[in-house]
Amino acid sequence: MSLTGVPVPAGLLFPQTLLNTEWFAILATFVAINTVMYAALAAAKVLPKIHRPSWLRSRHERGETRSIHPDAPR
C-alpha cells in the first residue's frame, strides 16, 4: 500500500500472450541454465577442497624412478 492509500502491485505481471512467445521461452531457458550454473559454482566454492590421494600419480611425476639407485624413493 502506498502513502496515498492507492494499492500498488507488488510485482510485475506479464500478459498471457507474452508468456507464450518463443523468445520468452528462450529467455526463460537461458535464465534457468544460468541460475543452475551459478548455484553449482557457489556450492563448489563453499565445499572443502578435495586433495588427490597420495597413491595417485600427478601429471608431472614419473611412473618409475630414473635414479642410479633403483630402490630410491620417488
Side-chain angles (χ1 to χ4, degrees):
M1 182 136 314
S2 70
L3 296 176
T4 61
V6 179
V8 178
L12 181 65
L13 297 176
F14 293 122
Q16 188 68 32
T17 55
L18 178 70
L19 298 177
N20 290 333
T21 59
E22 184 179 353
W23 71 267
F24 191 84
I26 293 170
L27 179 65
T29 304
F30 173 76
V31 170
I33 292 171
N34 193 17
T35 303
V36 169
M37 291 299 294
Y38 184 80
L41 289 172
K45 189 115 177 146
V46 170
L47 294 174
K49 187 173 183 181
I50 299 173
H51 297 284
R52 300 177 119 205
S54 60
W55 53 267
L56 190 61
R57 268 189 315 161
S58 68
R59 282 188 345 198
H60 304 293
E61 186 178 336
R62 295 185 186 277
E64 58 187 36
T65 180
R66 295 191 63 193
S67 172
I68 61 171
H69 305 288
D71 295 334
R74 288 190 220 171

